[in-house]
Amino acid sequence: MSPPSNYHVQKIFDTYAKSQLTFVQNFAGQANELAYAECLRENHAVEIVQPLLDNIDPEVRMTAVLGLSRLAGNSRACAKQILCANNLLKGLLGQIASENKSYKKNSMKLIRNLSKHLSSCSEMILSGCDGIHAILTCMKDSDVLVREVALQAISSIAGQDPSISVLIISSGILPQIVQSLKEERHNFKLHALSTLSEIAKHNQKLAKKIVDMNTLPKAIIFLSTNYTTEIKLQASALALIKNIAKHSLTLTETVIESNIFPEVLLLMAHPDESIRYNSADVVYEVVKHSVEISKMIVTTGGIVSLLNIILNSKEYPSTPAILALGYISSMSPSLAMAVINSKVLKHLTAVLKSDTDNDCLKAGTAWTLEMIGQHGAKHSKSVFDCNAVSAMIDVYIDTSPTREAHHKCKSAIQIILSKCEDFAALEQLLTPSTPIKIMPHILLKMSKMLTKSFKARRIFIKRGHLKMIQNLKPEINSHLYHVIKSVNCCFPETILQMVSGDIPESILKKLDKYVPKSQCFLYDTDIKTCNIFTNPV
């Protein structure tokens, strides 16, 4: 038998090479379909494909990386399998400098997709697998698309953990990211803003690193009217500004000194709701730091702008605008009154009465009402007058105790009640449907008024309130038990004995000059003590 010719040997190898390419192309095609992801994992696709990353054919290597990238993007389980595969990422990223542009782009997409599913893997990608070196290599590539995908990859990683952001900064890549804000391509600027924002959000130290790179002036450019149609760019610039300002008064002052106003306030009237939302988010983060900043926002028409966002919110919750009003109101009684005078309260009440199941929105609204009503009797009465307290009681009743809105409404009701000096307002809440946990706070405040006003005592009897509270039957020594005793002390024993029926006018007249007995007390639920009451009425 004659030995095989070179032609036959070459044909065997060509067939083998073609079969490898066909296999990896089919794999990349199926990996792009979510429906195939689990099947590929069960058939050990990652283990089979891994050797092809070292294939002699650059097209096979590039297509193998593409398939792995798609698989990681479609399945968390596959992403974990890729990450755990022995030396897969290290080998893939280690040879990136010598690979073609398609390989580099697909590698960066793989990093992005792995980070999307597995936040814990980001540090391993950057340090253990030499991901930083690979990203730096791609960021310096002559091909603009390679640089763009590299920036996108680092953007997806930066927000995972402060230690990762520190690693990114220490790599020396930050100046190049900031420089990308001046690139002509829209996506370059967008991914650069996103990366800087993700780094800045972690803590004050990292945010200051971003500021020290002279980033703010470059970002604020995108707030101008020249970029009105660049929705994503403006939203990303606003997110970066917010994530810098939120950490401290010093950073907030730096942001304000960079002249973000009046642009941010103007953007609160932008036709796009996402821009309005992000603008309100910036205002929310800056006003919470000082009374002076809050005053500046108020004097430049900020309350009206925030109200417009509340009125026109559809796809985005109005939570940042509502919280901004809360922080403004918390700063001083005069600022809270400015919010009241802007006719905001009825719209906050409408939010509480709406059928939304957004727990954060209703919790934030209750907190803002508390900040408004906490200052004094006039502020509290304004909250009562718009039926906001009744609305908060309804939310408290209808919301699960595990929800934040339940607790915020209870806290707000208690604080606003403690400042209320309007007997008629309190009286509106005194119904059998009022929650038992709220009732002591209402009655405690009323008991102090009943000791001073015979007219209030008459109303309390004639409208059946005294009779109603006798039927509550609280547990002995509970808050409600002691508060009811405080209320009873405001009435003669003869009236208490006749409370279940009609009380003659002759008996009621005795209320006008009635002085509680010296052994009576007023109970304070805050300090849980009983105070002997001896003052004449």
Side-chain angles (χ1 to χ4, degrees):
M1 182 177 178
S2 59
S5 66
N6 288 340
Y7 170 77
H8 288 105
V9 172
Q10 186 64 44
K11 188 174 181 180
I12 292 171
F13 279 97
D14 286 347
T15 301
Y16 176 64
K18 286 179 182 178
S19 67
Q20 286 180 311
L21 181 59
T22 301
F23 166 76
V24 82
Q25 285 173 338
N26 288 334
F27 162 69
Q30 290 181 338
N32 202 34
E33 301 293 330
L34 181 61
Y36 286 114
E38 184 59 26
C39 184
L40 287 168
R41 188 184 69 82
E42 290 176 354
N43 283 278
H44 309 287
V46 173
E47 296 170 82
I48 294 170
V49 170
Q50 184 173 355
L52 298 178
L53 297 171
D54 295 320
N55 194 277
I56 194 171
D57 186 347
E59 188 173 358
V60 171
R61 297 196 302 272
M62 177 271 294
T63 310
V65 179
L66 174 63
L68 291 172
S69 170
R70 289 173 172 177
L71 197 59
N74 280 327
S75 167
R76 177 183 174 85
C78 290
K80 190 172 183 179
Q81 197 175 53
I82 292 168
L83 183 70
C84 296
N86 187 35
N87 288 328
L88 187 156
L89 277 177
K90 193 168 185 177
L92 183 153
L93 298 175
Q95 63 193 36
I96 202 166
S98 59
E99 293 290 350
N100 62 31
K101 64 181 181 181
S102 294
Y103 184 100
K104 291 174 181 175
K105 282 191 292 184
N106 293 335
S107 297
M108 293 299 101
K109 288 178 182 177
L110 177 59
I111 289 178
R112 179 197 65 192
N113 291 340
L114 287 171
S115 299
K116 178 177 72 174
H117 287 300
L118 303 165
S119 59
S120 60
C121 81
S122 296
E123 189 167 358
M124 179 179 173
I125 292 171
L126 291 183
S127 54
C129 298
D130 206 15
I132 277 287
H133 176 74
I135 291 172
L136 282 168
T137 299
C138 292
M139 287 283 286
K140 295 174 182 177
D141 197 88
S142 59
D143 187 273
V144 66
L145 292 178
V146 172
R147 298 201 305 273
E148 183 180 313
V149 181
L151 189 56
Q152 189 177 1
I154 206 163
S155 173
S156 69
I157 288 174
Q160 303 290 0
D161 189 85
S163 62
I164 295 169
S165 289
V166 170
L167 194 60
I168 291 169
I169 291 174
S170 62
S171 72
I173 201 173
L174 194 57
Q176 196 170 349
I177 296 172
V178 175
Q179 189 61 31
S180 297
L181 293 174
K182 292 185 176 182
E183 291 274 359
E184 288 186 14
R185 289 178 64 84
H186 175 279
N187 284 346
F188 261 107
K189 291 179 278 197
L190 187 60
H191 297 319
L193 286 169
S194 174
T195 304
L196 295 167
S197 180
E198 290 296 312
I199 294 172
K201 78 178 184 182
H202 292 298
N203 55 51
Q204 182 177 345
K205 187 175 180 180
L206 288 169
K208 190 174 185 305
K209 290 279 187 183
I210 301 298
V211 171
D212 290 344
M213 295 297 299
N214 199 32
T215 304
L216 278 171
K218 297 179 180 68
I220 290 168
I221 289 172
F222 301 121
L223 304 185
S224 71
T225 53
N226 294 334
Y227 291 90
T228 300
T229 59
E230 301 283 358
I231 304 302
K232 290 184 178 179
L233 270 181
Q234 288 198 325
S236 296
L238 288 165
L240 170 58
I241 292 165
K242 175 200 75 172
N243 283 332
I244 291 172
K246 71 178 184 178
H247 295 294
S248 69
L249 174 59
T250 302
L251 285 172
T252 293
E253 288 174 341
T254 301
V255 164
I256 291 173
E257 288 166 4
S258 298
N259 298 319
I260 64 166
F261 296 108
E263 279 77 7
V264 170
L265 294 180
L266 294 173
L267 289 174
M268 289 167 73
H270 195 282
D272 186 86
E273 190 173 350
S274 67
I275 299 298
R276 299 199 300 269
Y277 175 87
N278 281 280
S279 301
D281 229 0
V282 172
V283 173
Y284 154 63
E285 291 295 351
V286 302
V287 295
K288 67 184 184 182
H289 290 294
S290 78
V291 64
E292 289 78 15
I293 295 172
S294 291
K295 283 179 180 177
M296 180 196 72
I297 296 298
V298 171
T299 55
T300 52
I303 295 178
V304 174
S305 298
L306 292 166
L307 177 57
N308 285 335
I309 290 175
I310 296 170
L311 293 175
N312 296 299
S313 292
K314 293 180 176 66
E315 295 181 17
Y316 288 77
S318 56
T319 312
I322 290 172
L323 293 175
L325 290 170
Y327 275 113
I328 290 169
S329 300
S330 71
M331 293 296 172
S332 72
S334 60
L335 286 173
M337 192 54 67
V339 172
I340 291 169
N341 292 337
S342 297
K343 313 298 181 186
V344 166
L345 292 179
K346 66 178 181 180
H347 301 295
L348 296 179
T349 303
V351 172
L352 291 172
K353 291 182 175 180
S354 68
D355 57 2
T356 180
D357 60 355
N358 188 325
D359 186 59
C360 290
L361 178 61
K362 290 196 173 182
T365 303
W367 176 81
T368 292
L369 288 164
E370 179 182 335
M371 295 301 101
I372 295 170
Q374 68 176 336
H375 293 289
K378 188 181 292 186
H379 299 79
S380 174
K381 187 177 187 304
S382 296
V383 177
F384 268 98
D385 287 347
C386 67
N387 296 317
V389 177
S390 297
M392 283 189 282
I393 289 176
D394 290 339
V395 173
Y396 176 84
I397 294 171
D398 295 340
T399 310
S400 166
T402 60
R403 305 289 291 275
E404 186 68 15
H406 181 90
H407 299 289
K408 290 295 183 184
C409 283
K410 182 181 178 182
S411 172
I413 292 164
Q414 291 175 357
I415 294 298
I416 294 165
L417 281 173
S418 70
K419 299 296 181 180
C420 183
E421 300 295 340
D422 190 299
F423 190 84
L426 293 169
E427 191 185 6
Q428 293 173 12
L429 305 181
L430 206 57
T431 67
S433 62
T434 301
I436 289 296
K437 289 185 178 180
I438 301 297
M439 190 69 78
H441 302 280
I442 301 170
L443 291 175
L444 178 65
K445 195 67 184 181
M446 295 185 88
S447 68
K448 295 174 181 179
M449 296 180 183
L450 290 169
T451 62
K452 301 175 183 178
S453 171
F454 71 86
K455 290 182 180 179
R457 292 198 289 267
R458 276 178 167 267
I459 292 171
F460 202 80
I461 293 171
K462 286 191 171 183
R463 293 183 180 167
H465 303 318
L466 187 61
K467 178 181 178 180
M468 186 199 79
I469 67 171
Q470 308 309 313
N471 296 327
L472 291 177
K473 310 299 181 186
E475 293 183 10
I476 295 176
N477 287 328
S478 65
H479 288 178
L480 182 57
Y481 173 84
H482 287 297
V483 173
I484 290 174
K485 287 186 71 176
S486 295
V487 173
N488 289 345
C489 278
C490 299
F491 299 92
E493 191 66 32
T494 52
I495 286 181
L496 292 173
Q497 292 172 356
M498 301 173 66
V499 73
S500 58
D502 293 330
I503 301 174
E505 182 63 27
S506 59
I507 300 295
L508 288 176
K509 285 183 178 179
K510 295 181 179 180
L511 283 173
D512 300 354
K513 297 180 180 180
Y514 175 69
V515 178
K517 297 176 182 177
S518 60
Q519 66 266 31
C520 280
F521 59 84
L522 291 176
Y523 182 72
D524 190 330
T525 57
D526 293 326
I527 60 174
K528 298 181 177 63
T529 57
C530 299
N531 302 313
I532 299 299
F533 178 77
T534 57
N535 295 335
V537 181

